[in-house]
Amino acid sequence: MQIRVLGSAAGGGFPQWNCNCHNCSRLRQGRLNASARTQSSIAVTSDGTNWVLFNASPDIRAQLESFPDIQPARNTRDTGIVAVVLMDSQIDHTTGLLILREGNPLRIYCTDMVYEDLTTGFPVLRMLEHYCGIERHPVPLGPGESFTIAEAASLRFTAVALRSKAPPYSPHRHDPHEGDNIGMQVENLETGRSLFYAPGLGLIDRPVQRLLEAADCLLVDGTFWRQDEMQWAGVGTKLASDMGHLPQSGDDGMIARLKPLTRPRKILIHINNTNPILDEDSPERTQLRAAGIEVAYDGMEITL
């Protein structure tokens, strides 16, 4: 199984277009040992030709252009994308669907809650009906339930509901439902190797813990270093938990939860522009290295 990190940043990318925080300003000035990043998305394949896209960020066009393998060029108009799996209905994970409107109907896999959001509060799927159209497939969330995709038949997908928040435009923003946000186990049925992907993860409960322990590779929420990061960086007032993210630091933070895991390769993705781990020379990045945790970057390739 091959995994391509198309984008590794949180919403707004890095540097964010209107932000002059300690990271964004120094990157623009060439004073930060860091790489620019687009908004988070990955693609997965088992055969090198048929790719499953996870989320479609506003940066999707540039991400696809920088990745020739996803354009097999078998016909005048072609793509290696056989399906799009949506992990939630956030703008930074779904707006890119509009960029993919000039082809055949998009095969979309999403939960019922995400489908509701994307046909009401942010009706991008209704909009696409006037262009390429969509083929919507529900993502099951019941115990032991999984699904496969015909063109990627050697991969099995198993979703788990995460405790997080629906976006502000959701009809149930303040009434969380199962399926607002999911994590996904992707297994290669031929090799038995697996990935667990969860770019938005606010709480690690027992079902999530089991998937973390079973995976060969983790790509999980790296949005914030600290709970009060938005306040600390001077760009907002919300806490990490208010936005559905588990910060890396703290007694029960992401580092503490990942450090004991000995089986998987551990990688953080969906990094906010304020997070000090973007600075490769920072003490925070050193702390991650000591814990055996990596930081995803655009163009990162993982083979399982």
Side-chain angles (χ1 to χ4, degrees):
M1 177 165 53
Q2 295 171 256
I3 303 148
R4 170 80 175 203
V5 175
L6 299 174
S8 54
F14 175 61
Q16 184 172 301
W17 68 278
N18 66 341
C19 186
N20 293 297
C21 71
H22 59 293
N23 281 339
C24 292
S25 59
R26 287 188 295 152
L27 184 70
R28 291 193 187 97
Q29 296 162 10
R31 298 189 298 110
L32 186 71
N33 184 14
S35 300
R37 286 166 162 81
T38 58
Q39 294 166 92
S40 73
S41 176
I42 67 169
V44 177
T45 185
S46 59
D47 61 11
T49 301
N50 297 298
W51 293 83
V52 177
L53 178 66
F54 283 82
N55 294 332
S57 88
D59 302 313
I60 188 66
R61 184 185 180 281
Q63 292 168 346
L64 297 181
E65 284 297 308
S66 67
F67 184 37
D69 287 359
I70 210 166
Q71 174 50 269
R74 297 162 293 194
N75 299 297
T76 303
R77 288 197 172 184
D78 194 19
T79 178
I81 299 171
V82 297
V84 183
V85 177
L86 300 177
M87 308 298 287
D88 53 50
S89 56
Q90 299 285 349
I91 282 179
D92 51 313
H93 288 159
T94 58
T95 306
L97 292 172
L98 296 171
I99 308 301
L100 305 178
R101 68 188 182 276
E102 286 129 345
N104 295 322
L106 291 174
R107 186 181 298 171
I108 305 290
Y109 287 78
C110 63
T111 66
D112 291 343
M113 290 299 99
V114 168
Y115 183 73
E116 177 184 303
D117 290 348
L118 298 183
T119 53
T120 56
F122 179 40
V124 60
L125 299 185
R126 296 290 187 217
M127 296 165 66
L128 288 170
E129 290 174 358
H130 299 282
Y131 294 91
C132 59
I134 67 162
E135 296 176 5
R136 188 259 167 158
H137 300 262
V139 169
L141 290 171
E145 290 189 278
S146 60
F147 65 94
T148 58
I149 297 169
E151 293 87 348
S154 62
L155 299 179
R156 179 168 61 198
F157 304 85
T158 304
V160 60
L162 302 180
R163 298 189 189 182
S164 191
K165 293 182 181 293
Y169 44 78
S170 172
H172 55 272
R173 165 67 169 176
H174 301 292
D175 179 22
H177 284 60
E178 183 177 81
D180 288 337
N181 191 335
I182 60 172
M184 187 72 71
Q185 180 190 61
V186 185
E187 299 173 89
N188 187 324
L189 298 176
E190 296 177 352
T191 66
R193 305 274 284 173
S194 69
L195 164 75
F196 181 66
Y197 179 54
L201 183 54
L203 178 71
I204 298 177
D205 55 17
R206 188 55 197 159
V208 172
Q209 182 67 29
R210 285 195 292 266
L211 291 171
L212 294 177
E213 294 170 353
D216 294 290
C217 181
L218 306 176
L219 272 171
V220 295
D221 193 334
T223 310
F224 296 117
W225 175 261
R226 49 192 290 170
Q227 171 77 309
D228 63 346
E229 188 167 308
M230 297 292 280
Q231 301 170 24
W232 169 77
V235 297
T237 59
K238 291 183 179 179
L239 299 175
S241 56
D242 293 336
M243 292 180 277
H245 298 290
L246 179 66
Q248 282 101 66
S249 62
D251 293 341
D252 198 38
M254 190 67 77
I255 295 175
R257 300 303 299 268
L258 296 185
K259 191 173 182 179
L261 302 178
T262 57
R263 173 173 176 165
R265 181 178 177 184
K266 296 166 279 193
I267 308 171
L268 301 178
I269 195 168
H270 196 268
I271 317 299
N272 200 58
N273 64 84
T274 55
N275 196 326
I277 66 173
L278 289 167
D279 180 353
E280 297 187 23
D281 298 327
S282 66
E284 291 83 0
R285 180 65 81 93
T286 300
Q287 189 173 338
L288 286 183
R289 292 191 191 101
I293 300 171
E294 302 173 59
V295 179
Y297 55 86
D298 290 22
M300 185 180 198
E301 296 190 348
I302 303 161
T303 301
L304 296 179

